[in-house]
Amino acid sequence: VQLQASGGGWVQSGGSLRLSCAASGGTFTSYHMGWFRQAPGNERQFTAAITSTGGRTYYSPSVKGRFTVSRDNAKNTVYLQMDNSNVADTAVYYCAAALRRSDWNGYYYRDSAYDFWGQGTLVTVSS
């Protein structure tokens, strides 16, 4: 499956931004989806994830309550709504797809849980 992330850009602290990730070349409902981010000089980190049906979501503690992950299976797209953003949210955001497996819920936060990655979209939050 190919993943194309979009929606990155500049936002002021406290503002909102919505990222999108369009999937093609596969059966979208066969994949759990995740968002990761990599700030300058840091390793890539888990941000949010959603199961293939959209029935369950996961968040890192740093974004829980501010970010919302969702998906539209009819449009083969997963979203990351970023609200109340802060400077620490500045990063390249990547979407990733994990072929549906029964044990994925135990390690959704690991890079190794995902089979396909998008190219990343840059989000800059200014104070």
Side-chain angles (χ1 to χ4, degrees):
V1 64
Q2 291 80 46
L3 303 174
Q4 181 71 42
S6 62
W10 176 87
V11 63
Q12 265 192 320
S13 183
S16 298
L17 206 60
R18 189 176 81 157
L19 306 183
S20 300
C21 176
S24 61
T27 303
F28 190 58
T29 52
S30 295
Y31 296 92
H32 305 309
M33 300 296 295
W35 286 97
F36 288 72
R37 66 185 184 183
Q38 186 168 19
N42 289 351
E43 294 184 351
R44 189 163 58 189
Q45 296 179 330
F46 169 75
T47 303
I50 187 167
T51 55
S52 59
T53 62
R56 185 171 292 184
T57 57
Y58 302 94
Y59 298 94
S60 72
S62 62
V63 307
K64 192 172 185 178
R66 301 187 299 117
F67 291 11
T68 304
V69 60
S70 63
R71 64 191 293 161
D72 186 336
N73 285 344
K75 295 183 178 180
N76 291 352
T77 302
V78 62
Y79 304 97
L80 185 67
Q81 177 68 39
M82 304 170 57
D83 295 320
N84 193 22
S85 58
N86 58 58
V87 174
D89 296 325
T90 295
V92 176
Y93 284 74
Y94 298 90
C95 61
L99 193 62
R100 195 171 56 205
R101 293 182 286 268
S102 60
D103 60 349
W104 175 85
N105 291 279
Y107 60 99
Y108 59 85
Y109 52 90
R110 297 182 184 176
D111 280 22
S112 58
Y114 298 84
D115 304 291
F116 302 96
W117 292 82
Q119 85 291 0
T121 186
L122 176 63
V123 173
T124 303
V125 183
S126 64
S127 57

